Amino acid sequence: MNELIIELSEISPREFFGQQNANIELLKKYFPKLKLVARGNQVKVFGDEERLEEFDKRFTMLMEHFSKYNKLDENSIERVLTSEKKEDYETSFESSEVLVHGVGGKLIKAQTANQRKIVEAVKKNDMVFAVGPAGTGKTYTGVALAVKALKEKQVKRIILTRPAVEAGENLGFLPGDLKEKLDPYMQPLYDALRDMIPHEKLDSFIEKGVIQIAPMAFMRGRTLDNAFVILDEAQNTTHAQMKMFLTRMGRSAKFMITGDPGQIDLPRRVISGLKEALLVLKTVKGVDIIYLDDKDVIRHRLVKSIISAYNAIENRE
Protein backbone atom coordinates (compact mmCIF):
# COMPACT_ATOMS: atom_id res chain seq x y z
CA MET A 1 0.00 0.00 0.00
CA ASN A 2 1.39 3.42 -1.00
CA GLU A 3 1.37 6.50 1.24
CA LEU A 4 0.86 10.17 0.34
CA ILE A 5 1.52 12.97 2.85
CA ILE A 6 0.14 16.46 2.14
CA GLU A 7 0.96 19.46 4.35
CA LEU A 8 -1.25 22.53 4.54
CA SER A 9 0.93 25.64 4.49
CA GLU A 10 -0.52 29.12 5.06
CA ILE A 11 -3.97 27.53 5.35
CA SER A 12 -5.93 27.07 8.57
CA PRO A 13 -6.50 23.28 8.95
CA ARG A 14 -9.54 23.95 11.14
CA GLU A 15 -11.24 26.02 8.42
CA PHE A 16 -10.08 23.79 5.57
CA PHE A 17 -11.09 20.49 7.23
CA GLY A 18 -14.42 21.95 8.40
CA GLN A 19 -16.25 21.50 11.68
CA GLN A 20 -15.53 18.05 13.12
CA ASN A 21 -13.55 17.29 9.95
CA ALA A 22 -16.75 17.42 7.86
CA ASN A 23 -14.84 18.21 4.65
CA ILE A 24 -12.48 15.27 5.19
CA GLU A 25 -15.46 12.96 5.75
CA LEU A 26 -16.90 14.21 2.44
CA LEU A 27 -13.60 13.51 0.67
CA LYS A 28 -13.69 9.93 2.01
CA LYS A 29 -17.03 9.41 0.26
CA TYR A 30 -15.53 10.51 -3.07
CA PHE A 31 -12.45 8.33 -2.57
CA PRO A 32 -13.87 5.24 -0.81
CA LYS A 33 -10.89 3.04 -1.72
CA LEU A 34 -8.39 5.35 -0.02
CA LYS A 35 -7.72 5.63 3.70
CA LEU A 36 -7.53 9.28 4.87
CA VAL A 37 -6.09 10.46 8.20
CA ALA A 38 -6.08 14.21 9.03
CA ARG A 39 -3.96 15.37 11.97
CA GLY A 40 -2.65 18.85 12.69
CA ASN A 41 -1.75 20.43 9.36
CA GLN A 42 -1.14 17.09 7.64
CA VAL A 43 -3.27 14.71 5.61
CA LYS A 44 -1.99 11.16 5.19
CA VAL A 45 -3.55 9.08 2.45
CA PHE A 46 -3.05 5.34 1.86
CA GLY A 47 -3.97 3.40 -1.27
CA ASP A 48 -2.85 2.36 -4.75
CA GLU A 49 -0.64 4.72 -6.76
CA GLU A 50 -3.13 5.67 -9.48
CA ARG A 51 -5.83 6.70 -7.01
CA LEU A 52 -3.28 8.60 -4.88
CA GLU A 53 -2.24 10.63 -7.95
CA GLU A 54 -5.85 11.57 -8.64
CA PHE A 55 -6.40 12.45 -4.97
CA ASP A 56 -3.23 14.61 -4.92
CA LYS A 57 -4.39 16.50 -8.01
CA ARG A 58 -7.90 17.11 -6.63
CA PHE A 59 -6.67 18.03 -3.14
CA THR A 60 -4.29 20.59 -4.67
CA MET A 61 -7.25 22.06 -6.58
CA LEU A 62 -9.19 22.29 -3.31
CA MET A 63 -6.29 24.08 -1.59
CA GLU A 64 -5.99 26.55 -4.48
CA HIS A 65 -9.76 27.14 -4.36
CA PHE A 66 -9.60 27.79 -0.59
CA SER A 67 -6.60 30.15 -0.99
CA LYS A 68 -8.52 32.18 -3.56
CA TYR A 69 -12.00 32.24 -2.05
CA ASN A 70 -11.17 31.66 1.66
CA LYS A 71 -14.07 29.24 1.88
CA LEU A 72 -14.70 25.51 1.44
CA ASP A 73 -18.12 23.89 1.79
CA GLU A 74 -19.99 20.86 0.50
CA ASN A 75 -21.03 22.57 -2.75
CA SER A 76 -17.57 23.88 -3.64
CA ILE A 77 -15.96 20.50 -2.81
CA GLU A 78 -18.44 18.72 -5.08
CA ARG A 79 -17.80 21.20 -7.92
CA VAL A 80 -14.01 20.86 -7.64
CA LEU A 81 -14.07 17.06 -7.42
CA THR A 82 -16.42 16.60 -10.37
CA SER A 83 -15.04 19.26 -12.75
CA GLU A 84 -12.55 18.71 -15.54
CA LYS A 85 -10.97 22.17 -15.40
CA LYS A 86 -10.87 25.31 -13.23
CA GLU A 87 -13.21 27.28 -15.49
CA ASP A 88 -15.97 24.78 -14.65
CA TYR A 89 -16.03 25.62 -10.95
CA GLU A 90 -14.39 29.03 -10.46
CA THR A 91 -16.22 32.33 -10.31
CA SER A 92 -14.45 35.11 -12.14
CA PHE A 93 -13.06 37.86 -9.90
CA GLU A 94 -14.69 40.36 -12.24
CA SER A 95 -18.20 38.94 -11.89
CA SER A 96 -20.59 41.27 -10.06
CA GLU A 97 -17.59 43.57 -9.42
CA VAL A 98 -16.27 41.28 -6.68
CA LEU A 99 -12.80 42.55 -5.76
CA VAL A 100 -11.85 39.91 -3.21
CA HIS A 101 -13.40 36.80 -1.71
CA GLY A 102 -12.75 37.60 1.94
CA VAL A 103 -12.51 35.46 5.05
CA GLY A 104 -15.44 33.05 5.33
CA GLY A 105 -16.29 33.66 1.67
CA LYS A 106 -17.31 37.29 2.30
CA LEU A 107 -17.73 39.06 -1.05
CA ILE A 108 -15.91 42.37 -0.99
CA LYS A 109 -17.13 44.80 -3.66
CA ALA A 110 -17.15 48.51 -4.41
CA GLN A 111 -20.44 49.56 -2.82
CA THR A 112 -20.94 53.12 -4.07
CA ALA A 113 -20.55 54.99 -7.36
CA ASN A 114 -17.38 56.77 -6.22
CA GLN A 115 -15.85 53.55 -4.88
CA ARG A 116 -16.44 52.05 -8.33
CA LYS A 117 -14.68 55.10 -9.78
CA ILE A 118 -11.66 54.25 -7.59
CA VAL A 119 -11.64 50.69 -8.99
CA GLU A 120 -11.75 51.99 -12.59
CA ALA A 121 -9.13 54.66 -11.87
CA VAL A 122 -6.68 52.09 -10.46
CA LYS A 123 -7.13 49.92 -13.58
CA LYS A 124 -6.21 52.84 -15.86
CA ASN A 125 -3.63 54.75 -13.79
CA ASP A 126 -0.55 53.91 -11.74
CA MET A 127 -1.20 56.64 -9.16
CA VAL A 128 -4.63 57.40 -7.72
CA PHE A 129 -5.70 59.81 -4.97
CA ALA A 130 -8.92 58.92 -3.12
CA VAL A 131 -10.04 61.89 -1.08
CA GLY A 132 -13.07 62.20 1.18
CA PRO A 133 -14.50 62.14 4.71
CA ALA A 134 -14.35 59.34 7.28
CA GLY A 135 -16.33 56.19 6.59
CA THR A 136 -16.43 56.48 2.79
CA GLY A 137 -14.45 53.25 2.27
CA LYS A 138 -11.30 54.85 0.80
CA THR A 139 -8.82 52.70 2.72
CA TYR A 140 -10.93 49.54 2.61
CA THR A 141 -11.39 49.76 -1.16
CA GLY A 142 -7.66 50.44 -1.58
CA VAL A 143 -6.66 47.43 0.53
CA ALA A 144 -9.13 45.22 -1.41
CA LEU A 145 -7.57 46.33 -4.70
CA ALA A 146 -4.08 45.65 -3.30
CA VAL A 147 -5.06 42.13 -2.13
CA LYS A 148 -6.70 41.47 -5.53
CA ALA A 149 -3.51 42.56 -7.33
CA LEU A 150 -1.40 40.30 -5.08
CA LYS A 151 -3.68 37.28 -5.55
CA GLU A 152 -3.70 37.76 -9.31
CA LYS A 153 0.13 38.11 -9.29
CA GLN A 154 0.03 41.62 -10.77
CA VAL A 155 2.37 42.67 -7.92
CA LYS A 156 4.75 40.77 -5.64
CA ARG A 157 4.04 42.68 -2.44
CA ILE A 158 1.73 45.11 -0.68
CA ILE A 159 3.14 48.06 1.24
CA LEU A 160 0.83 50.01 3.54
CA THR A 161 1.99 53.15 5.29
CA ARG A 162 0.66 56.00 7.43
CA PRO A 163 2.27 59.09 8.91
CA ALA A 164 2.33 58.47 12.68
CA VAL A 165 1.52 62.12 13.39
CA GLU A 166 -0.84 61.36 16.26
CA ALA A 167 2.02 59.64 18.07
CA GLY A 168 4.19 62.75 18.01
CA GLU A 169 6.72 62.91 20.82
CA ASN A 170 4.47 60.73 23.02
CA LEU A 171 5.64 57.68 21.04
CA GLY A 172 8.69 57.25 23.28
CA PHE A 173 6.54 56.97 26.39
CA LEU A 174 4.47 54.07 25.06
CA PRO A 175 5.46 50.58 26.28
CA GLY A 176 7.03 47.94 24.03
CA ASP A 177 9.32 47.89 21.02
CA LEU A 178 8.86 50.08 17.94
CA LYS A 179 6.38 47.68 16.28
CA GLU A 180 4.23 47.52 19.42
CA LYS A 181 4.30 51.32 19.71
CA LEU A 182 3.26 51.84 16.10
CA ASP A 183 0.73 49.02 15.67
CA PRO A 184 -2.19 51.01 17.21
CA TYR A 185 -1.74 53.67 14.51
CA MET A 186 -1.74 51.01 11.80
CA GLN A 187 -4.78 49.15 13.23
CA PRO A 188 -7.29 50.16 10.49
CA LEU A 189 -4.96 48.64 7.90
CA TYR A 190 -4.67 45.39 9.89
CA ASP A 191 -8.46 45.33 10.32
CA ALA A 192 -9.05 45.56 6.56
CA LEU A 193 -6.47 42.86 5.81
CA ARG A 194 -8.00 40.49 8.40
CA ASP A 195 -11.32 40.76 6.56
CA MET A 196 -9.67 39.66 3.33
CA ILE A 197 -6.86 37.21 4.16
CA PRO A 198 -7.12 34.26 6.61
CA HIS A 199 -5.15 34.66 9.84
CA GLU A 200 -2.37 32.11 9.19
CA LYS A 201 -1.79 33.33 5.65
CA LEU A 202 -1.71 36.99 6.72
CA ASP A 203 0.83 36.24 9.46
CA SER A 204 2.95 34.36 6.94
CA PHE A 205 2.78 37.20 4.40
CA ILE A 206 3.82 39.74 7.06
CA GLU A 207 6.63 37.51 8.32
CA LYS A 208 7.99 37.03 4.78
CA GLY A 209 7.66 40.73 3.91
CA VAL A 210 5.06 40.07 1.19
CA ILE A 211 2.84 42.48 3.13
CA GLN A 212 4.61 45.35 4.88
CA ILE A 213 2.92 47.80 7.23
CA ALA A 214 5.19 50.62 8.31
CA PRO A 215 5.27 54.34 9.19
CA MET A 216 6.30 56.79 6.48
CA ALA A 217 9.79 57.26 7.89
CA PHE A 218 10.56 53.66 6.79
CA MET A 219 9.91 54.63 3.15
CA ARG A 220 12.88 57.00 2.91
CA GLY A 221 15.64 55.84 0.54
CA ARG A 222 13.62 52.91 -0.86
CA THR A 223 12.56 52.21 -4.45
CA LEU A 224 9.24 50.41 -4.43
CA ASP A 225 9.10 48.03 -7.43
CA ASN A 226 6.42 45.42 -8.26
CA ALA A 227 4.30 46.63 -5.35
CA PHE A 228 0.84 47.96 -4.59
CA VAL A 229 1.57 50.82 -2.19
CA ILE A 230 -1.07 52.64 -0.14
CA LEU A 231 -0.42 55.86 1.79
CA ASP A 232 -3.29 56.22 4.25
CA GLU A 233 -4.22 59.35 6.27
CA ALA A 234 -2.20 61.35 3.74
CA GLN A 235 -3.66 64.66 4.99
CA ASN A 236 -1.17 64.37 7.87
CA THR A 237 1.91 64.39 5.65
CA THR A 238 4.07 67.47 5.26
CA HIS A 239 5.33 68.81 1.92
CA ALA A 240 8.67 66.99 2.38
CA GLN A 241 7.02 63.68 3.42
CA MET A 242 4.59 63.65 0.49
CA LYS A 243 7.31 64.49 -2.05
CA MET A 244 9.57 61.79 -0.55
CA PHE A 245 6.76 59.20 -0.70
CA LEU A 246 5.64 59.95 -4.26
CA THR A 247 9.20 59.71 -5.58
CA ARG A 248 9.63 56.18 -4.13
CA MET A 249 7.62 54.81 -7.05
CA GLY A 250 9.45 52.05 -8.92
CA ARG A 251 8.70 49.88 -11.95
CA SER A 252 5.44 47.92 -12.15
CA ALA A 253 4.07 49.73 -9.09
CA LYS A 254 0.62 51.02 -8.21
CA PHE A 255 0.39 53.92 -5.74
CA MET A 256 -2.83 54.85 -3.97
CA ILE A 257 -3.04 57.83 -1.65
CA THR A 258 -6.06 58.24 0.63
CA GLY A 259 -6.95 61.04 2.98
CA ASP A 260 -9.49 63.45 4.43
CA PRO A 261 -8.48 67.12 4.13
CA GLY A 262 -11.09 67.90 6.79
CA GLN A 263 -9.22 65.92 9.50
CA ILE A 264 -5.69 67.38 9.54
CA ASP A 265 -3.70 66.74 12.74
CA LEU A 266 -0.60 68.69 11.70
CA PRO A 267 0.60 71.68 13.76
CA ARG A 268 -0.84 75.05 12.73
CA ARG A 269 0.82 76.82 9.81
CA VAL A 270 2.16 73.47 8.48
CA ILE A 271 0.79 72.88 4.98
CA SER A 272 -0.79 69.46 4.38
CA GLY A 273 1.20 67.48 1.82
CA LEU A 274 -2.07 66.01 0.53
CA LYS A 275 -3.71 69.39 -0.12
CA GLU A 276 -0.59 70.58 -1.91
CA ALA A 277 -0.26 67.37 -4.00
CA LEU A 278 -3.89 67.63 -5.16
CA LEU A 279 -3.11 71.07 -6.60
CA VAL A 280 0.34 70.23 -8.01
CA LEU A 281 -0.59 66.91 -9.65
CA LYS A 282 -4.14 67.55 -10.90
CA THR A 283 -3.00 67.90 -14.55
CA VAL A 284 -0.27 65.22 -14.53
CA LYS A 285 -1.01 62.38 -16.96
CA GLY A 286 -1.19 58.97 -15.26
CA VAL A 287 -2.45 60.48 -12.00
CA ASP A 288 -6.17 60.37 -11.21
CA ILE A 289 -8.02 62.00 -8.32
CA ILE A 290 -11.34 60.62 -7.05
CA TYR A 291 -13.38 62.69 -4.60
CA LEU A 292 -15.80 60.92 -2.25
CA ASP A 293 -18.52 62.60 -0.18
CA ASP A 294 -21.14 61.83 2.46
CA LYS A 295 -23.15 59.82 -0.11
CA ASP A 296 -20.34 57.24 0.03
CA VAL A 297 -20.45 56.76 3.81
CA ILE A 298 -20.92 53.06 4.56
CA ARG A 299 -20.60 53.13 8.35
CA HIS A 300 -23.53 53.65 10.73
CA ARG A 301 -26.27 55.83 9.22
CA LEU A 302 -25.53 58.48 11.90
CA VAL A 303 -22.03 59.05 10.49
CA LYS A 304 -23.54 60.61 7.35
CA SER A 305 -25.64 62.97 9.49
CA ILE A 306 -22.64 63.86 11.67
CA ILE A 307 -20.52 64.74 8.61
CA SER A 308 -23.33 66.90 7.20
CA ALA A 309 -23.80 68.70 10.54
CA TYR A 310 -20.08 69.49 10.84
CA ASN A 311 -19.92 70.59 7.18
CA ALA A 312 -22.71 73.09 7.87
CA ILE A 313 -20.73 74.62 10.79
CA GLU A 314 -17.41 74.67 8.94
CA ASN A 315 -18.96 76.29 5.85
CA ARG A 316 -20.35 79.13 8.01
CA GLU A 317 -16.92 79.91 9.47
Side-chain angles (χ1 to χ4, degrees):
M1 188 177 282
N2 297 299
E3 179 185 18
L4 170 68
I5 299 174
I6 303 173
E7 287 202 10
L8 278 66
S9 61
E10 298 176 7
I11 288 178
S12 163
R14 184 173 55 83
E15 291 178 29
F16 186 83
F17 294 159
Q19 285 190 338
Q20 297 178 326
N21 281 2
N23 294 339
I24 294 294
E25 293 304 315
L26 192 58
L27 277 172
K28 288 178 180 177
K29 290 178 183 176
Y30 279 94
F31 294 94
K33 295 190 176 179
L34 296 178
K35 183 184 177 186
L36 276 68
V37 180
R39 283 205 186 95
N41 69 335
Q42 269 192 356
V43 177
K44 287 186 179 180
V45 195
F46 304 89
D48 70 58
E49 192 170 348
E50 192 177 327
R51 286 192 175 90
L52 286 179
E53 281 179 14
E54 177 64 15
F55 181 88
D56 192 19
K57 174 186 161 189
R58 294 291 175 175
F59 199 84
T60 300
M61 289 163 74
L62 286 170
M63 288 194 293
E64 287 173 353
H65 184 84
F66 183 85
S67 293
K68 186 171 183 179
Y69 297 102
N70 300 315
K71 185 181 182 182
L72 201 63
D73 56 24
E74 189 172 340
N75 290 332
S76 57
I77 290 170
E78 183 179 355
R79 285 199 304 273
V80 172
L81 295 181
T82 57
S83 298
E84 290 301 316
K85 53 188 186 296
K86 280 187 180 183
E87 291 76 14
D88 295 337
Y89 63 83
E90 280 199 345
T91 305
S92 167
F93 266 108
E94 303 303 324
S95 66
S96 305
E97 297 178 345
V98 173
L99 299 177
V100 177
H101 292 78
V103 174
K106 179 180 180 182
L107 300 181
I108 294 167
K109 309 178 183 183
Q111 296 186 43
T112 70
N114 285 325
Q115 286 178 15
R116 285 190 283 275
K117 283 183 185 177
I118 292 173
V119 174
E120 289 305 310
V122 168
K123 283 180 190 173
K124 296 172 185 173
N125 302 276
D126 288 337
M127 184 176 289
V128 174
F129 287 78
V131 183
T136 50
K138 306 179 297 292
T139 302
Y140 200 80
T141 303
V143 172
L145 286 166
V147 171
K148 179 179 188 289
L150 183 67
K151 284 192 171 192
E152 295 180 352
K153 295 184 169 55
Q154 294 169 12
V155 297
K156 292 181 180 176
R157 55 190 172 147
I158 295 172
I159 298 169
L160 308 174
T161 185
R162 278 182 148 201
V165 168
E166 308 96 317
E169 53 194 25
N170 294 325
L171 196 62
F173 297 102
L174 293 170
D177 60 20
L178 183 62
K179 182 181 184 299
E180 288 168 330
K181 290 176 181 184
L182 288 167
D183 272 359
Y185 302 101
M186 305 297 173
Q187 198 60 50
L189 301 172
Y190 283 111
D191 289 346
L193 285 167
R194 286 190 188 107
D195 261 9
M196 301 173 200
I197 302 174
H199 179 72
E200 282 88 348
K201 196 162 194 176
L202 179 57
D203 284 351
S204 174
F205 279 160
I206 291 172
E207 189 180 326
K208 292 175 181 174
V210 175
I211 294 178
Q212 301 170 26
I213 305 173
M216 277 202 73
F218 284 49
M219 299 297 110
R220 193 172 298 281
R222 300 180 66 185
T223 301
L224 306 176
D225 292 323
N226 300 302
F228 197 116
V229 187
I230 299 175
L231 168 57
D232 194 34
E233 298 289 331
Q235 73 274 5
N236 289 327
T237 59
T238 63
H239 159 86
Q241 285 176 320
M242 180 60 85
K243 184 181 176 185
M244 178 274 291
F245 173 78
L246 296 178
T247 53
R248 298 307 92 204
M249 194 173 201
R251 293 183 302 276
S252 302
K254 290 274 187 185
F255 268 41
M256 185 164 166
I257 300 95
T258 70
D260 175 7
Q263 287 190 332
I264 296 172
D265 298 315
L266 292 166
R268 286 185 180 184
R269 294 187 295 278
V270 175
I271 296 169
S272 164
L274 175 63
K275 282 189 169 182
E276 184 182 53
L278 293 174
L279 292 170
V280 172
L281 302 176
K282 64 182 179 182
T283 58
V284 175
K285 193 175 180 183
V287 176
D288 202 354
I289 301 169
I290 307 298
Y291 289 94
L292 299 96
D293 54 36
D294 56 3
K295 296 186 196 70
D296 298 294
V297 172
I298 50 175
R299 290 182 184 167
H300 193 285
R301 58 182 176 76
L302 276 175
V303 175
K304 195 176 289 190
S305 303
I306 290 165
I307 290 169
S308 298
Y310 271 92
N311 283 343
I313 293 171
E314 288 159 3
N315 290 336
R316 283 206 301 268
E317 289 176 355

